[in-house]
Amino acid sequence: MKHRIKMIGFDLDGTLLTEQKELGEYTVRILERAAEEGIEILPVTGRPLCGLPEEVRKIRGLRYAITANGARILDLASGTVLKEQLVDTKTAGQILDILGKYDTLREIYYDGTGYAQREQLAQIEHFFGESAMAEYVRSTRCPVEDLMEKFHTENRAVDKVQGVFADLEERKKALEEIESLTGVTVTKALKNNIEVNAAGVNKGDALVWLAKRLEIMPKETLAFGDGNNDFALLEKAGTGVAMKNGIEEIKRVADEMTEKTNDEEGVAQFIETYVLKKGE
C-alpha cells in the first residue's frame, strides 16, 4: 500500500549515507523522482550546514535542510535561515567547562560552521579510530588554536555544543552533569558523544514546523532515522520509519522499518516501494 506523502525527511549518518559516508546512485535517483512528484525532500541531521555533503546538496529538487538536530532550519536555495533556536552563551560556557574536565574533542557551532581545537583534530583517531566518521569531522571542522578563546571572543549563543569522548566512563560522568543543567536538550547520536541543544530543540518539532510553513499536514510527512537523536523525528512525523540497522530503541517507536540497511540503500528502497506513484 502506497503512503500519501508530501514531505520526506531523512537523517544522514546511519540512514541516508552508508557507513563509509557515501551516497548511492540509486538513492539519488529515487529522491529526485520523489521531488519530481512534488514531494519535499530534505536532510534532517545533527550535522551543521558545513557538514552537509555536496552530493546531498546537489540532489535535484532538494531545497530545505534541518541541521544541528533542529536548531537551524534553512532554505538552501536562498541561503536564508528560516528559524533558529540557540544555546545561550552562559549555558554553552557551562557545558564547555564540564566537557573540558575530560578527555574530549569539544566542538561549538556558529552560523552552521563547526569549530574544534586544532590539537584535538590532529588526534582525531584518538576519539573515532581510523574511520569514515573521523575523516568527516577532520574535513568539515574549522580548526582554532584555542576553542575557549574562540568562544569568549564570539561571546554569543551557539547552534549546538558537542563532546566526543575517548573514554565511555568519562562520558557517563559528563552526561550526568550536563543533564542536570536547565535549558538544554541532550542527545547521543554516537556511542561516545554528547550533543547539547537549547531546551525544546529536536528534529521532530523542526520537521512539523517546516511542514506547516509549507502548508503540509503532519500526517503527510515521512521520516527516516536510526539513532538516539531521531526519536522525536520518528514520533512526530506522520509515518516514522526506522532503519533496519538502527538501534533497537528507535525501532520500538517507529511505525515501520526499512527492509534494507543504510549500506543497502534502504531509504531509497522504501520510498520506491511504498511512496512513489510512478510504476503503480
Side-chain angles (χ1 to χ4, degrees):
M1 179 179 176
K2 298 284 186 177
H3 292 274
R4 297 186 181 278
I5 298 299
K6 293 185 179 179
M7 174 181 283
I8 300 174
F10 41 82
D11 174 52
L12 294 180
D13 299 294
T15 301
L16 194 77
L17 304 178
T18 68
E19 293 306 305
Q20 294 303 311
K21 309 304 177 190
E22 296 172 342
L23 180 66
E25 294 181 5
Y26 169 55
T27 296
V28 172
R29 187 166 68 252
I30 293 302
L31 289 177
E32 290 183 346
R33 279 180 55 189
E36 289 171 2
E37 292 190 8
I39 300 172
E40 291 289 349
I41 55 171
L42 67 148
V44 186
T45 179
R47 293 186 179 204
L49 177 61
C50 70
L52 288 187
E54 191 62 27
E55 56 268 38
V56 172
R57 298 183 64 165
K58 286 182 176 178
I59 296 173
R60 289 193 305 273
L62 188 148
R63 175 168 182 171
Y64 301 99
I66 293 172
T67 65
N69 289 328
R72 282 186 178 272
I73 304 175
L74 306 164
D75 183 333
L76 300 174
S78 64
T80 57
V81 178
L82 302 179
K83 185 180 182 182
E84 62 179 23
Q85 293 175 267
L86 309 180
V87 182
D88 68 77
T89 309
K90 179 182 177 181
T91 304
Q94 293 175 316
I95 298 163
L96 288 168
D97 287 341
I98 292 170
L99 295 175
K101 295 191 295 185
Y102 304 101
D103 185 7
T104 58
L105 168 69
R106 293 184 292 177
E107 298 182 340
I108 50 177
Y109 302 82
Y110 290 109
D111 307 319
T113 298
Y115 297 87
Q117 196 147 309
R118 189 183 305 276
E119 180 182 1
Q120 271 69 50
L121 288 175
Q123 306 172 48
I124 196 70
E125 289 83 6
H126 177 63
F127 303 100
F128 290 106
E130 292 283 352
S131 64
M133 180 61 77
E135 182 54 36
Y136 154 67
V137 173
R138 179 170 28 222
S139 64
T140 59
R141 300 311 192 252
C142 182
V144 294
E145 295 304 323
D146 187 322
L147 187 71
M148 293 307 294
E149 181 180 341
K150 170 69 175 176
F151 174 70
H152 291 304
T153 299
E154 292 286 344
N155 192 31
R156 60 191 176 105
V158 304
D159 302 359
K160 186 181 81 169
V161 181
Q162 175 170 243
V164 183
F165 291 75
D167 184 281
L168 294 183
E169 282 302 312
E170 289 194 345
R171 173 182 177 270
K172 182 179 179 180
K173 294 176 183 177
L175 183 61
E176 291 176 355
E177 291 188 70
I178 292 173
E179 288 183 331
S180 71
L181 299 176
T182 58
V184 298
T185 297
V186 183
T187 55
K188 308 169 286 293
L190 307 173
K191 68 178 182 179
N192 66 328
N193 85 328
I194 297 174
E195 300 176 38
V196 191
N197 287 96
V201 170
N202 63 73
K203 294 181 177 183
D205 284 339
L207 184 77
V208 171
W209 183 91
L210 181 59
K212 183 177 180 180
R213 181 184 176 93
L214 300 177
E215 299 183 344
I216 295 172
M217 298 177 66
K219 68 180 182 180
E220 297 173 317
T221 63
L222 172 72
F224 296 89
D226 73 298
N228 276 296
N229 63 344
D230 297 318
F231 280 111
L233 177 62
L234 300 199
E235 287 175 333
K236 298 189 178 186
T239 303
V241 184
M243 298 301 296
K244 183 178 179 180
N245 54 281
I247 62 175
E248 291 305 312
E249 294 87 345
I250 203 74
K251 293 176 183 178
R252 287 197 287 268
V253 303
D255 300 301
E256 301 191 38
M257 186 175 74
T258 62
E259 297 166 20
K260 297 181 180 296
T261 68
N262 61 321
D263 278 336
E264 300 168 313
E265 301 186 81
V267 169
Q269 190 268 340
F270 187 97
I271 293 173
E272 182 175 36
T273 303
Y274 301 108
V275 178
L276 296 184
K277 297 175 182 176
K278 294 179 180 178
E280 286 185 326

